[in-house]
Amino acid sequence: MPAETRTPALRTRLLVAVLGPLLAAAVLIGVVGATLIADVVRRTNDRVLGGALGAIAETVQVERGEVTLDLPSAAFGMLENTERDNVYYRVAVGADLLTGYADLPAPDPATLSIDVPRYRFARYRGQQIRIAEVRRSLPRIEKPVIVQIAETLDNRGALTRRLMLALLIGECVLVGAAALLLRPALGWSLRPLARLRGAVEARDERARPDFSPLDTGPLPSELRPLAGAFDRLLAQLDTATVGVRRFTADASHQMRTPLSVLKVQVALARRGSDAERREALDEIADAVMRLERLVTQLLALARAEEAGVSAPLEAVDLREVAAAVITRQINRAIEAGIDLTLDGEGSVGPIVPGHRTLIFEILSNLVDNGIRYNHRGGTVSITLDATPSATCVIIADDGPGIPPEHRELVFERFVRLGAGDSPEGSGLGLAIVRSAAARLNATVAFAATDHGTTVVLRFPSSI
């Protein structure tokens, strides 16, 4: 199975993309929440433990030079809880125990500040305990009085677990609700994409191809470039299809006459005399030549008008291309009694960005027209002219010329001027020239002359 068929659906990808960061955020919140819960539980219980410590420390008095203590029951009542934590206490004067648990871990008096409670964890009787302790200084008593009270951590642990469980349940409910609500939310968000897909699929149900822009209604900003690109693709397909249809129609229309001539002449050759056969063969040869020229020009026009991305432009030597065109056309020019010349200085001509094949096609058609529609003894010249702003190729002949009012018309397909005795042609030469020039970002136009025809092919600049 191809790899692309196993690609997860867009809805699934979006769901994972949303839930992934959400789960990461939930884990981060859990870690931060656990830290805050532990700190809050510690501070809250330390406050209660400190209250009990203060209640005991306030009862420490000096009577008749002796330290006395009256343990208040309220101090121990403050530490009662559902987990029944063990409570320990110790009151000592210096190293002498006054009351309480003698083995309760004692602090170094030098590390305690007077009347400032201190809290610490310790290990006692196999259990972890939290100790609150304070140092008191009594009048006429040289030794420091150390008051300690401690409790086990069962209640703290239970409270921490309950808060952590509540936090965990809250996060699971939040992530679960988000996962349940995200699917319909994603379905709603992807509805414009489904509408776009429906508009594309609807084209399959139509009898003939429809290359008009998609009717999708309003689209989100993320989908508008996609719809625009698809519409541009449809426009390119429409242009290509129209070109194919036009080429087919033109070919069928223009080839009908030569083929009809061929059929008639073949029939005559089959049942005629030797002289009639020779005449018919001459007509067949002439029809074949016209048909060959027509097909060649139709294909050239199709190449000149083809849509899509053109090949990268290359540096083209106009003198070299013009010389190649003259070499190709010189025999026809000699047969027609036409003087064919190339004007321009230097052995290397102007260099322009373009496609050599298209430039050769342009010059070939212009020179061919100059020879075809000229009179015996006439001339056809190619002149190269380069300036800083533009490079021009000028093709001039001294034939009958084209009236100014018809000079734009002759660039249309299958348009031919002149009487019925004018030379044979298909009317495609100048259409090929203009289409090919457009692909080269060049322009082609007639120059104003008193006699003959002068065509100027202008390139924006030379290299």
Side-chain angles (χ1 to χ4, degrees):
M1 183 180 295
E4 52 268 22
T5 60
R6 299 194 298 268
T7 302
L10 183 58
R11 187 192 303 267
T12 303
R13 293 166 64 92
L14 290 174
L15 189 62
V16 172
V18 173
L19 286 181
L22 185 61
L23 288 174
V27 171
L28 180 60
I29 292 174
V31 172
V32 175
T35 303
L36 291 177
I37 287 172
D39 184 68
V40 169
V41 170
R42 179 181 60 78
R43 288 176 180 273
T44 301
N45 284 271
D46 282 355
R47 190 174 294 111
V48 176
L49 191 64
L53 176 67
I56 295 174
E58 287 179 356
T59 64
V60 177
Q61 303 290 333
V62 177
E63 294 183 2
R64 298 174 185 175
E66 298 290 333
V67 178
T68 62
L69 174 67
D70 183 12
L71 289 176
S73 58
F76 296 97
M78 295 170 61
L79 300 177
E80 291 182 358
N81 53 62
T82 57
E83 302 299 327
R84 299 183 179 276
D85 280 320
N86 295 329
V87 178
Y88 309 99
Y89 67 97
R90 177 176 177 274
V91 180
V93 180
D96 300 327
L97 178 67
L98 184 60
T99 183
Y101 294 84
D103 57 347
L104 189 66
D108 181 1
T111 62
L112 292 175
S113 300
I114 297 175
D115 295 331
V116 178
R118 187 180 70 177
Y119 303 89
R120 62 187 174 96
F121 290 102
R123 193 80 181 171
Y124 181 63
R125 296 186 180 183
Q127 291 182 299
Q128 192 76 6
I129 62 173
R130 181 72 168 171
I131 301 176
E133 51 198 7
V134 68
R135 172 184 173 184
R136 295 204 62 190
S137 177
L138 299 178
R140 299 185 299 278
I141 301 297
E142 295 181 358
K143 297 179 180 180
V145 177
I146 306 300
V147 180
Q148 293 177 285
I149 188 167
E151 65 175 354
T152 54
L153 306 179
D154 293 341
N155 183 62
R156 295 181 184 226
L159 180 58
T160 300
R161 286 190 294 273
R162 287 196 297 272
L163 293 176
M164 287 294 297
L165 181 61
L167 176 62
L168 180 61
I169 292 174
E171 289 189 333
C172 290
V173 170
L174 176 63
V175 173
L180 291 176
L181 295 176
L182 272 175
R183 276 210 168 263
L186 289 176
W188 174 81
S189 300
L190 295 175
R191 195 174 300 164
L193 185 59
R195 190 166 67 248
L196 179 61
R197 183 189 65 189
V200 174
E201 291 177 346
R203 300 296 174 95
D204 295 338
E205 303 173 359
R206 301 179 183 179
R208 53 183 301 179
D210 182 7
F211 299 113
S212 61
L214 296 175
D215 182 14
T216 59
L219 288 176
S221 58
E222 294 82 2
L223 288 181
R224 283 198 290 270
L226 174 61
F230 195 82
D231 286 341
R232 290 192 294 273
L233 176 61
L234 289 177
Q236 292 177 359
L237 289 175
D238 188 30
T239 302
T241 304
V242 168
V244 171
R245 290 174 181 168
R246 185 167 58 182
F247 176 81
T248 304
D250 293 342
S252 63
H253 173 74
Q254 293 296 316
M255 295 173 72
R256 188 178 296 117
T257 299
L259 289 175
S260 299
V261 172
L262 282 175
K263 290 173 62 178
V264 171
Q265 298 302 326
V266 168
L268 290 175
R270 285 177 176 174
R271 63 173 181 266
S273 61
D274 291 341
E276 290 174 340
R277 287 193 185 97
R278 285 193 296 272
E279 184 180 355
L281 289 175
D282 291 339
E283 291 291 337
I284 289 173
D286 185 60
V288 169
M289 290 180 60
R290 293 201 304 272
L291 186 59
E292 180 185 13
R293 173 178 169 76
L294 175 63
V295 172
T296 301
Q297 287 197 312
L298 284 172
L299 291 175
L301 182 61
R303 286 196 303 269
E305 292 183 345
E306 67 181 357
V309 179
S310 301
L313 298 180
E314 58 186 3
V316 179
D317 184 346
L318 291 179
R319 172 173 286 277
E320 183 271 329
V321 177
V325 170
I326 290 178
T327 301
R328 173 72 62 86
Q329 298 287 348
I330 190 65
N331 289 333
R332 288 192 62 246
I334 293 173
E335 291 176 1
I338 303 298
D339 187 15
L340 190 55
T341 63
L342 172 61
D343 299 329
E345 298 179 357
S347 58
V348 178
I351 307 298
V352 296
H355 303 292
R356 187 186 184 281
T357 302
L358 290 179
I359 296 176
F360 183 87
E361 198 71 46
I362 293 172
L363 299 184
S364 293
N365 278 277
L366 292 175
V367 171
D368 179 76
N369 282 350
I371 296 173
R372 183 179 298 274
Y373 298 102
N374 212 329
H375 56 80
R376 182 168 290 276
T379 61
V380 176
S381 64
I382 304 176
T383 304
L384 306 178
D385 181 27
T387 65
S389 60
T391 301
C392 298
V393 182
I394 305 167
I395 297 91
D397 65 68
D398 50 7
I402 300 174
E405 63 271 16
H406 293 154
R407 287 179 178 174
E408 280 300 315
L409 182 63
V410 294
F411 285 109
E412 299 296 329
R413 303 153 68 91
F414 304 114
V415 172
R416 298 184 65 247
L417 302 178
D421 59 350
S422 60
E424 290 288 342
S426 61
L428 288 173
L430 291 177
I432 293 172
V433 168
R434 174 159 285 185
S435 295
R439 289 193 62 194
L440 297 172
N441 296 321
T443 60
V444 59
F446 290 101
T449 56
D450 295 334
H451 65 279
T453 303
T454 300
V455 181
V456 179
L457 175 65
R458 183 185 300 273
F459 294 90
S461 62
S462 59
I463 295 180

